[in-house]
Amino acid sequence: MYQRERERERERDYREEMARSTGKDAQALFHSLRSAYAATPTTLKIIDLYMGFAVFTALIQVVYMAIVGSFPFNSFLSGVLSCVGTAILAVCLRIQVNKDNKEFKDLPPERAFADFVLCNLVLHLVIMNFLG
Amino acid sequence: MAAAAKAGEATLRHAFGNVLSFFILLLIGVLAFSIRLFSVIKYESVIHEFDPYFNYRVTQFLTKNGIYDFWNWFDDRTWYPLGRVIGGTVYPGLTLTAGTIWWLLNSLNIPLSVETVCVFTAPIFSAFASWATYLLTKEVKGAGAGLTAAALLAMVPSYISRSVAGSYDNEAVAIFALIITFYLYIKTLNTGSLFYATLNAIAYFYMVCSWGGYTFIINLIPMHVLLCIVTGRYSSRLYIAYAPLVVLGTLLAALVPVVGFNAVMTSEHFASFLVFIILHVVALVYYIKGILSPKMFKVAVTLVVSVGLVVCCAVIAILVALVASSPTKGWSGRSLSLLDPTYASKYIPIIASVSEHQPPTWPSYFMDINVLAFLVPAGIIACFLPLSDASSFVVLYIVTSVYFSGVMVRLMLVFAPAACIMSGIALSQAFDVFTRSIKFQLLRILGFSEADAGDGSSANVVPENDAVKVDKSEETIKERPSRKNKKKEKEQMEKAQAEKTSAKSKTEKRLLVLPMELSVIGLLLLVFMGAFYVVHCVWAAAEAYSAPSIVLTSYTHEGLHVFDDFREAYAWLRHNTEVDDKVASWWDYGYQTTAMANRTVIVDNNTWNNTHIATVGTAMSSPEKAAWEIFNSLDVKYVLVVFGGLVGYPSDDINKFLWMVRIGGGVFPHIKEPDYLRDGQYRIDSQATPTMLNCLMYKLSYYRFVETDGKGFDRVRRTEIGKKYFKLTHFEEVFTTHHWMVRIYKLKPSKNRIRGKMKKSKSRTSTPSSKRSGSRKKNPWQ
């Protein structure tokens, strides 16, 4: 009996150690991620903020649909897809404007922004038609 | 000065090349248009077959009533008494395109009729399709391959068969939309520009509007993205090419009423969403890898994998449960029959009975793509040297389209552009090698030093030998002496190479050079092969694929004999019946009847309601009285039957009769197919079963047939008919066309007086009714 208690204690200690090491790893990971992200230029951070806002809005809409039901399904679809669409277009803009990206180094950022605006225009035209 | 002169020369050559390409493309467009005009020259400018008549009728409605009425149109002239919601069940791309062209031309005061615009839409769009093929192949391999592929597509018989002048069907514009969507996708992939991604989504929208085959695109592109990710070719251009297409494309597809919410709910689209999620995961991984140090990245991977695996399993379990709960696993019947070719014959006899849905035979491959069948494997190999994103896409396209063309004859049409692209690449590479060899050998013969030979250095490369060997597969006789030649040259070259490798830089390209005579002969043989291809295509277009099937011709010793019976019958219906009369026939003729005769029909080629078709099939298979009852319950006035026994027309209703029995028997179990067969054989002569000899189809086809030649010899079945002398009790013949090909019968009204047994029961029932009539007001109209 005493032996079994000792075994259980040893197991608990082992698990605590593992948790602590993974916890330490996770903390170290978050630190390095945060420091690396802080080094990105402000323009890109603004685009990331816009992207986060769009995804957050999409999540709110999904939660609302889960609560209330999806009756005008086309409205739900167009709402969610417009948020997802603007997020994706923001990512595309970020890819094209990022100076670290060697593939796009001779693309002027004005052209990237103009493409972004055009694509958003088409997207929102379709959304407004489909919203019903 | 020399450098400036050389640059000037280069721009001049470029300009000359561009002008030449422009004129070649113009000629290719004219060729594509004119090769499809044989039916207009041989017969007349008329719409062919069955489906185009429906599209023509819809286009007429659109041009007469405008687009809002078209979107909201409920058609009560077909599928009586159910009707059909046209706005929600038709792919509007073709009709809107033709309607726009008609409106544009009429606003410019060019008064073309709707029929002319409809007839010539297909050739115009085939010219556009060949230009689109040029653009697509140029993105993959270069302008030379593009021009060759465009020239091949302009003439390929498989595409001609569905886009002759008069074949006003969805594929006429859909193939153009398909190629241009692929071109814009490859262009976006190559340039990474969001502008082309937008255009790609709009082209995909046009494809969804035009044809149900758009599911091929929305499954092929995700497959290609997955292939790129798996082979390690992920780049940010791939993200820009795919992610906006999925979001915009799904929205645009949901806009088309036919597709609607199927764009997010059917299994055909799930692949695109799955790959969308996978792409985002991969993009995130690459991003994090870029900003973290390698050690931290490993930690991140272990953490994410352990957590993510649990979440993934949960999501997959939910998805599988959702999909498995529907009996067809979320796929539509037609798509399922593509994946499992035996599905349709087991469960959906209507899809199995359409002749276009049968698997093709081997000769049809050689008939439809001819010489390209040999060039396609060479093209596939040429795509691998070097392999780029675009060439891997084209390889994937051809592999999948070969599989689908093997399942259904109709999908040979999707295989044709892929075959043309591959053959264009192969031919262009072969011409490249030959002309380069000739140029190099000429320069050497004329005594120029090797330094002046430009950028083509002279060393044989072993892997490219194989490519050339495959290209020249038809020159086996010439190859044996030439192989010895090549081996000797190779040894000489390798010795020279060993001396020169130290001097030459390693980045110089090593190109293949062949002996002079070989190149000249090879060039000539390739030109001959091209000539055979052209001759075959023109023959196929003129003889095999230009028949309008509404007008038939045959050559007798007196010359050309024209059978115009179908239009004769429809014109008779149009002029000799009331506007509201209903006509019953087998579903093949529904579209033509509504378009040309302008009468309401019971069933037509849309075949969306199996029970309704089975009702008509049962009526055709029952004896006269039962058939009269069924038709009377559907308010039918006239019955139309196609009969080819007098002239030998093989696609008549008696030959289709067993399908009527099968489809009717599938819904009404009292119709059993063995009742109509004698010892498992289908016959209509004296050995036929009594059920067969008494059914409505037999009687309506062979009524008074014995009066034509005294013996009743059926030229299609090649026997004398079984029952020769009989009268019709519930139908009367009102019209038979000149060659007895279409026969129209009218339902006799029920008799006013009924003699015999019924009189007694009438006297019994009359007393209680007279009591009731005393209390009720008397109806003066009865």
Side-chain angles (χ1 to χ4, degrees):
Chain A
M1 231 179 51
Y2 194 54
Q3 263 191 351
R4 238 179 277 150
E5 266 197 39
R6 242 190 291 162
E7 278 177 20
R8 256 181 263 141
E9 252 196 58
R10 242 180 278 151
E11 272 187 43
R12 232 181 295 138
D13 282 341
Y14 178 65
R15 253 183 266 135
E16 274 182 33
E17 232 191 85
M18 282 303 291
R20 244 180 284 142
S21 74
T22 43
K24 259 191 279 182
D25 277 340
Q27 269 191 347
L29 182 66
F30 279 133
H31 265 289
S32 62
L33 266 175
R34 208 191 295 177
S35 59
Y37 188 67
T40 57
T42 330
T43 44
L44 296 183
K45 279 203 216 160
I46 294 178
I47 298 179
D48 288 340
L49 199 62
Y50 176 65
M51 197 170 49
F53 163 69
V55 174
F56 181 59
T57 317
L59 280 173
I60 293 183
Q61 289 186 14
V62 173
V63 168
Y64 177 76
M65 181 211 66
I67 297 177
V68 172
S70 71
F71 164 55
F73 191 57
N74 54 325
S75 317
F76 164 66
L77 210 59
S78 66
V80 168
L81 282 179
S82 84
C83 295
V84 173
T86 50
I88 286 176
L89 292 177
V91 171
C92 293
L93 178 67
R94 187 187 200 277
I95 290 174
Q96 288 183 327
V97 164
N98 197 354
K99 284 187 215 39
D100 297 332
N101 219 331
K102 283 178 259 355
E103 277 172 359
F104 292 102
K105 70 171 141 62
D106 42 354
L107 182 75
E110 289 81 14
R111 164 78 196 265
F113 187 67
D115 286 343
F116 171 73
V117 167
L118 176 73
C119 209
N120 261 320
L121 243 133
V122 172
L123 176 71
H124 285 98
L125 197 69
V126 176
I127 295 287
M128 284 197 290
N129 195 355
F130 196 47
L131 206 52
Chain B
M1 269 309 289
K6 265 204 177 148
E9 260 186 51
T11 45
L12 190 65
R13 230 183 307 143
H14 266 264
F16 183 64
N18 278 342
V19 171
L20 200 62
S21 302
F22 175 72
F23 276 115
I24 292 177
L25 276 178
L26 206 63
L27 280 177
I28 289 176
V30 170
L31 169 70
F33 183 82
S34 39
I35 203 175
R36 287 161 168 81
L37 295 183
F38 277 106
S39 64
V40 174
I41 297 171
K42 287 169 74 169
Y43 300 91
E44 60 182 289
S45 162
V46 74
I47 297 187
H48 298 186
E49 302 254 328
F50 303 110
D51 279 2
Y53 272 100
F54 171 68
N55 295 324
Y56 172 54
R57 181 163 162 256
V58 175
T59 315
Q60 272 182 318
F61 186 87
L62 172 68
T63 52
K64 220 182 297 183
N65 298 323
I67 189 158
Y68 285 108
D69 282 341
F70 167 70
W71 275 139
N72 299 320
W73 185 18
F74 179 79
D75 188 19
D76 55 351
R77 310 278 296 179
T78 73
W79 294 94
Y80 185 85
L82 305 166
R84 178 184 172 184
V85 181
I86 300 278
T89 57
V90 83
Y91 281 99
L94 176 71
T95 47
L96 286 177
T97 310
T100 313
I101 295 178
W102 176 88
W103 176 82
L104 204 68
L105 288 174
N106 268 51
S107 62
L108 291 174
N109 278 329
I110 304 175
L112 287 181
S113 73
V114 178
E115 184 176 16
T116 315
V117 172
C118 289
V119 164
F120 288 101
T121 300
I124 293 177
F125 273 84
S126 62
F128 293 162
S130 33
W131 294 340
T133 313
Y134 162 71
L135 289 171
L136 175 56
T137 321
K138 192 164 86 136
E139 281 302 311
V140 177
K141 261 307 178 179
L147 288 172
T148 324
L152 290 174
L153 185 82
M155 294 188 285
V156 65
S158 147
Y159 186 29
I160 289 183
S161 70
R162 306 287 305 194
S163 66
V164 273
S167 173
Y168 181 56
D169 208 354
N170 287 334
E171 289 92 350
V173 288
I175 296 296
F176 163 66
L178 181 93
I179 302 178
I180 222 155
T181 309
F182 285 155
Y183 159 63
L184 287 168
Y185 172 66
I186 296 292
K187 185 91 181 170
T188 317
L189 201 53
N190 280 344
T191 59
S193 152
L194 200 54
F195 172 64
Y196 282 110
T198 317
L199 287 180
N200 187 17
I202 295 178
Y204 173 66
F205 174 52
Y206 184 49
M207 178 71 191
V208 173
C209 283
S210 313
W211 197 30
Y214 75 91
T215 50
F216 180 63
I217 297 186
I218 202 63
N219 282 305
L220 183 65
I221 293 186
M223 237 194 281
H224 176 245
V225 170
L226 206 57
L227 182 74
C228 283
I229 291 177
V230 162
T231 54
R233 303 182 75 95
Y234 171 78
S235 65
S236 43
R237 287 173 288 120
L238 189 69
Y239 183 85
I240 296 181
Y242 185 63
L245 173 69
V246 169
V247 176
L248 261 177
T250 310
L251 269 171
L252 286 167
L255 266 184
V256 181
V258 186
V259 178
F261 296 144
N262 286 345
V264 289
M265 297 211 289
T266 51
S267 297
E268 284 131 359
H269 292 86
F270 281 169
S272 57
F273 300 141
L274 195 66
V275 175
F276 185 65
I277 295 175
I278 293 179
L279 182 73
H280 276 88
V281 168
V282 170
L284 196 66
V285 165
Y286 271 87
Y287 172 67
I288 294 197
K289 199 192 238 182
I291 62 173
L292 281 183
S293 66
K295 185 179 67 118
M296 284 277 87
F297 181 65
K298 265 191 234 158
V299 169
V301 166
T302 42
L303 253 180
V304 166
V305 165
S306 51
V307 171
L309 223 66
V310 178
V311 175
C312 232
C313 291
V315 166
I316 289 182
I318 297 176
L319 206 67
V320 166
L322 260 175
V323 164
S325 60
S326 85
T328 58
K329 316 271 180 293
W331 294 86
S332 75
R334 284 201 188 175
S335 310
L336 208 55
S337 67
L338 276 181
L339 293 176
D340 171 17
T342 56
Y343 177 78
S345 49
K346 275 188 270 174
Y347 297 105
I348 315 176
I350 284 195
I351 293 185
S353 73
V354 181
S355 69
E356 297 177 318
H357 293 176
Q358 307 304 321
T361 54
W362 276 113
S364 66
Y365 274 94
F366 291 114
M367 171 73 168
D368 275 350
I369 55 171
N370 208 38
V371 154
L372 309 185
F374 324 133
L375 291 176
V376 161
I380 295 180
I381 293 181
C383 276
F384 278 97
L385 341 145
L387 186 68
S388 68
D389 290 338
S391 51
S392 69
F393 176 75
V394 187
V395 170
L396 196 63
Y397 175 24
I398 199 164
V399 168
T400 47
S401 59
V402 164
Y403 170 70
F404 285 124
S405 74
V407 175
M408 253 197 211
V409 162
R410 189 174 181 185
L411 295 179
M412 287 281 297
L413 182 63
V414 175
F415 173 50
C420 291
I421 294 172
M422 281 302 177
S423 322
I425 292 175
L427 269 180
S428 151
Q429 296 286 77
F431 270 108
D432 247 354
V433 170
F434 287 143
T435 49
R436 191 170 57 226
S437 313
I438 292 180
K439 191 163 94 170
F440 181 69
Q441 302 286 12
L442 268 177
L443 285 174
R444 208 174 54 166
I445 288 174
L446 295 176
F448 283 101
S449 69
E450 281 172 27
D452 276 354
D455 56 346
S457 52
S458 55
N460 280 343
V461 178
V462 174
E464 285 192 46
N465 259 341
D466 299 330
V468 179
K469 278 200 194 128
V470 173
D471 285 350
K472 298 188 277 98
S473 53
E474 71 272 31
E475 309 166 51
T476 43
I477 310 172
K478 304 284 175 194
E479 264 201 326
R480 263 172 241 121
S482 70
R483 252 188 229 147
K484 271 196 241 158
N485 243 353
K486 262 196 283 184
K487 278 211 184 122
K488 273 195 218 146
E489 268 211 33
K490 209 166 47 165
E491 290 172 19
Q492 289 176 1
M493 289 304 177
E494 275 175 58
K495 277 191 220 142
Q497 210 189 324
E499 298 167 0
K500 287 190 202 161
T501 37
S502 48
K504 286 206 189 117
S505 61
K506 295 225 172 85
T507 54
E508 218 174 283
K509 234 180 11 167
R510 305 196 302 176
L511 303 165
L512 180 61
V513 166
L514 299 166
M516 168 78 133
E517 309 81 18
L518 196 65
S519 323
V520 171
I521 292 174
L523 218 56
L524 277 175
L525 285 175
L526 280 183
V527 169
F528 280 151
M529 185 168 74
F532 282 136
Y533 174 69
V534 171
V535 165
H536 170 86
C537 291
V538 172
W539 170 84
E543 297 298 323
Y545 290 136
S546 286
S549 69
I550 190 153
V551 175
L552 307 163
T553 56
S554 80
Y555 288 92
T556 60
H557 52 269
E558 290 144 3
L560 186 68
H561 199 86
V562 175
F563 298 87
D564 209 1
D565 287 42
F566 288 103
R567 291 196 290 179
E568 191 185 338
Y570 297 132
W572 186 92
L573 270 180
R574 195 189 189 105
H575 291 127
N576 292 299
T577 58
E578 304 292 318
V579 177
D580 280 331
D581 284 343
K582 326 284 186 266
V583 179
S585 66
W586 191 233
W587 58 260
D588 286 357
Y589 316 106
Y591 281 157
Q592 284 183 342
T593 315
T594 38
M596 281 195 270
N598 198 24
R599 294 289 173 267
T600 310
V601 289
I602 307 293
V603 286
D604 69 11
N605 306 57
N606 192 27
T607 64
W608 65 269
N609 191 332
N610 194 32
T611 314
H612 221 49
I613 297 182
T615 315
V616 174
T618 311
M620 295 295 194
S621 328
S622 318
E624 264 194 80
K625 183 154 166 54
W628 188 94
E629 299 285 332
I630 297 178
F631 280 143
N632 200 31
S633 73
L634 288 172
D635 289 349
V636 171
K637 226 20 194 327
Y638 294 92
V639 178
L640 188 148
V641 158
V642 170
F643 170 64
L646 184 65
V647 290
Y649 174 61
S651 325
D652 64 350
D653 280 355
I654 288 283
N655 270 357
K656 292 181 194 159
F657 181 60
L658 274 185
W659 281 111
M660 297 187 202
V661 172
R662 280 179 203 139
I663 295 176
V667 179
F668 298 97
H670 66 268
I671 304 284
K672 297 192 247 321
E673 190 181 341
D675 287 346
Y676 297 84
L677 306 170
R678 169 78 69 187
D679 303 329
Q681 259 201 342
Y682 176 54
R683 341 165 52 127
I684 45 98
D685 53 10
S686 49
Q687 294 296 316
T689 58
T691 334
M692 182 71 211
L693 291 177
N694 278 320
C695 74
L696 186 72
M697 180 52 72
Y698 179 92
K699 287 200 169 166
L700 294 187
S701 295
Y702 293 116
Y703 179 58
R704 292 191 313 116
F705 184 53
V706 71
E707 292 172 18
T708 54
D709 60 350
K711 284 196 302 253
F713 183 74
D714 183 341
R715 290 219 180 113
V716 178
R717 267 62 60 176
R718 295 186 191 281
T719 56
E720 291 186 15
I721 59 178
K723 193 149 76 159
K724 301 187 188 179
Y725 301 95
F726 56 89
K727 283 214 182 23
L728 293 176
T729 51
H730 288 73
F731 294 83
E732 61 176 316
E733 182 185 6
V734 283
F735 186 65
T736 298
T737 57
H738 182 65
H739 300 101
W740 286 56
M741 276 172 65
V742 183
R743 311 192 66 181
I744 305 180
Y745 294 84
K746 187 171 175 176
L747 261 71
K748 276 194 192 163
S750 52
K751 295 209 180 113
N752 283 329
R753 287 188 315 145
I754 307 166
R755 298 195 285 172
K757 283 191 230 166
M758 286 306 290
K759 211 174 170 189
K760 265 202 195 149
S761 57
K762 273 278 168 183
S763 59
R764 252 185 272 136
T765 55
S766 60
T767 29
S769 64
S770 58
K771 275 197 206 145
R772 261 188 272 126
S773 65
S775 52
R776 252 187 296 139
K777 253 196 284 186
K778 237 180 136 194
N779 188 344
W781 298 107
Q782 272 183 350

